[in-house]
């Protein structure tokens, strides 16, 4: 069957790239097409709720949409009471999967609009909006020989993608392409309050059989079979991966887990850790920063004396698209056409022309032109 023109147009990865920073559905909706008919969306084909607070969805991705790299995330959108809400979820299955499906896990939060909506309403046939892949960390095509994964809570999902991809590649048996004939080593420390709270226990056992050294460590009650318990310590690293000093380290979990890993590794070694954050810490705008910001699409020019680009735009009467307001969801990403901005998480200044920036965590350093 020949695909209809709109499907062929919007399913192409190049088209998605050209339309960045907005997801394709933004433009489809602007043409008056109902979101449920959006050919660029994902379709739920299976739903599971393996533990009390996790919804597992298997999605069929539209033709031409590639899965994100292992560890990165898909942007998923749902419409609740007429409002579009977007979140990011890492597929948990191997990136080598070629059937057009991707599985995500959504942990239910007490006040979570999206997580509760999916817990209550998700069923096969449900349509979800789909944006561009995002993520702060991802497994590279050139596989590191030794890999240490550290996660807590919802951080299990990007680590599942990385571990299952390495296992599918035969990384731990020496049959993969990334390490030649020598097997690589993969160890994974995942922290939960109780072992029974961890979803995907069958997949974890499959990974162990494929050579991944997996330890689910309870922080509240119980121990692992080799006696590990509580929060991360140097002893945990030595027990799971005594070779970790030369390994590529991936981290996804809450801040206390990150601080524990930093204390165990030391600040210099920790600076090289590949990390996906649950939250983002930003510093103040230094004195002397600020400038005149020209919002090219709206034609509004305003002086910003020391706030983020998002706050400055809102103060100027604009309503830019945004989500988390802390650099996690990438919903606010816009093109900085000219000028320099400071990333308030790192303090770094960048002035690359026509560069995508998250306006919620960047502030102007001098005059800036931006596509808003």
């Amino acid at each position: 069957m020949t695909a209809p023109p709109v499907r062929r147009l919007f399913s192409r990865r190049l088209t998605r790239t050209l339309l960045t920073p907005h997801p394709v559905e933004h433009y489809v909706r602007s043409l008056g097409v109902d979101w449920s008919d959006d050919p660029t969306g994902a379709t739920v084909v299976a739903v599971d709720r393996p533990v009390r607070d996790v919804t597992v969805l298997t999605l069929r991705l539209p033709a031409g949409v590639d899965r994100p790299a292992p560890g990165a995330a898909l942007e998923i959108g749902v419409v609740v009471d007429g409002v579009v809400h977007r979140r990011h979820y890492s597929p948990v299955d191997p990136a080598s999967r070629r059937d057009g499906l991707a599985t995500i896990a959504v942990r239910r939060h007490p006040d979570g609009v999206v997580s509760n909506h999916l817990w209550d309403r998700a069923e096969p046939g449900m349509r979800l909006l789909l944006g561009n892949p995002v993520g702060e960390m991802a497994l590279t095509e050139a596989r590191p020989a030794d890999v240490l994964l550290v996660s807590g809570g919802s951080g299990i999902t990007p680590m599942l993608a990385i571990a299952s991809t390495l296992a599918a590649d035969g990384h731990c048996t020496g049959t993969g392409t990334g390490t030649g004939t020598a097997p690589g080593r993969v160890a994974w420390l995942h922290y939960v309050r109780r072992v029974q709270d961890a979803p995907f226990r069958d997949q974890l056992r499959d990974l162990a059989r494929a050579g991944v050294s997996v330890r689910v460590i309870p922080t509240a009650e119980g121990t692992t079979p080799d006696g590990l318990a509580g929060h991360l310590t140097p002893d945990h690293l030595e027990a799971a991966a005594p070779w970790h000093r030369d390994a590529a380290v991936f981290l996804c979990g809450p801040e206390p887990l990150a601080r524990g890993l930093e204390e165990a590794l030391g600040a210099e070694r920790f600076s090289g850790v590949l990390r996906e954050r649950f939250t983002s810490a930003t510093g103040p705008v230094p004195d002397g920063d600020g400038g005149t910001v020209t919002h090219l699409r709206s034609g509004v020019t305003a002086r910003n004396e020391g706030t983020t680009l998002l706050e400055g735009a809102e103060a100027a009467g604009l309503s830019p698209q945004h989500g988390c307001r802390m650099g996690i969801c990438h919903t606010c990403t816009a093109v900085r056409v000219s000028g320099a901005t400071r990333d308030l998480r790192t303090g770094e200044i960048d002035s690359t022309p026509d560069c995508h920036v998250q306006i919620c965590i960047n502030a102007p350093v001098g005059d800036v032109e931006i596509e808003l």
Side-chain angles (χ1 to χ4, degrees):
M1 177 181 294
T2 301
V6 66
R7 181 182 297 276
R8 291 204 305 272
L9 171 64
F10 287 117
S11 64
R12 293 173 181 164
R13 182 173 55 181
L14 176 59
T15 302
R16 286 178 170 272
T17 301
L18 291 174
L19 294 181
T20 300
H22 297 300
V24 176
E25 54 87 10
H26 169 86
Y27 300 95
V28 172
R29 287 161 62 87
S30 70
L31 295 174
V33 180
D34 184 77
W35 76 273
S36 61
D37 298 324
D38 176 7
T40 69
T43 303
V44 176
V45 298
V47 181
D48 188 20
R49 296 175 176 85
V51 294
R52 60 180 179 175
D53 59 352
V54 174
T55 307
V56 178
L57 305 175
T58 301
L59 309 178
R60 181 170 298 286
L61 303 179
V65 173
D66 293 334
R67 296 170 54 97
L74 288 168
E75 183 185 82
I76 298 296
V78 299
V79 180
V80 181
D81 296 331
V83 178
V84 176
H85 300 265
R86 296 181 179 83
R87 300 291 186 273
H88 297 94
Y89 302 104
S90 299
V92 300
D93 31 23
S96 55
R97 191 169 184 170
R98 291 291 181 262
D99 57 5
L101 302 179
T103 301
I104 63 171
V106 181
R107 183 172 294 280
R108 188 183 188 192
H109 297 282
D111 300 320
V113 175
V114 175
S115 63
N116 281 295
H117 178 79
L118 294 173
W119 176 270
D120 294 335
R121 304 287 183 84
E123 59 182 10
M126 184 181 194
R127 296 280 293 162
L128 301 175
L129 304 173
L130 188 64
N132 293 314
V134 298
E136 296 181 90
M137 69 173 190
L139 185 66
T140 58
E141 290 289 338
R143 309 295 197 222
D146 296 329
V147 176
L148 172 63
L149 308 175
V150 179
S151 59
S154 300
I156 192 173
T157 56
M159 301 308 179
L160 268 174
I162 294 172
S164 60
T165 298
L166 291 170
D169 287 350
H171 186 85
C172 301
T173 59
T175 58
T177 57
T179 59
T181 56
R185 294 174 289 195
V186 183
W188 182 1
L189 299 173
H190 179 63
Y191 291 83
V192 292
R193 286 183 53 78
R194 303 177 305 164
V195 172
Q196 55 267 40
D197 293 337
F200 303 110
R201 292 199 290 276
D202 288 345
Q203 289 91 328
L204 296 177
R205 284 189 282 271
D206 290 342
L207 289 171
R209 284 191 285 271
V212 177
S213 177
V214 182
R215 285 173 172 79
V216 178
I217 302 177
T219 59
E221 59 183 65
T223 66
T224 64
D226 55 352
L228 302 184
H231 298 285
L232 188 150
T233 69
D235 290 342
H236 291 185
L237 298 184
E238 293 301 322
W243 38 262
H244 68 81
R245 291 169 185 79
D246 296 320
V249 182
F250 294 82
L251 166 67
C252 186
E255 284 303 307
L257 177 64
R259 289 195 293 271
L261 183 61
E262 183 173 13
E263 291 174 5
L265 294 179
E268 182 176 354
R269 176 82 170 101
F270 184 77
S271 66
V273 170
L274 300 168
R275 181 181 180 189
E276 185 74 40
R277 292 171 172 82
F278 278 6
T279 59
S280 178
T282 59
V285 178
D287 293 340
D289 281 8
T292 298
V293 179
T294 301
H295 307 89
L296 295 174
R297 289 183 179 170
S298 60
V300 173
T301 297
R303 182 71 187 172
N304 184 319
E305 298 292 354
T307 65
T308 66
L309 289 166
L310 174 59
E311 292 170 333
E314 290 175 334
L318 305 180
S319 301
Q321 187 180 46
H322 65 273
C324 66
R325 302 182 76 96
M326 56 183 178
I328 301 296
C329 75
H330 295 258
T331 302
C332 67
T333 299
V335 177
R336 184 194 60 224
V337 176
S338 66
T341 55
R342 184 188 300 278
D343 188 324
L344 298 178
R345 298 170 302 181
T346 64
E348 296 178 352
I349 298 174
D350 182 78
S351 59
T352 307
D354 299 319
C355 181
H356 293 101
V357 296
Q358 294 171 268
I359 63 173
C360 70
I361 47 90
N362 275 276
V365 183
D367 296 345
V368 170
E369 290 181 311
I370 193 161
E371 290 283 2
L372 286 175

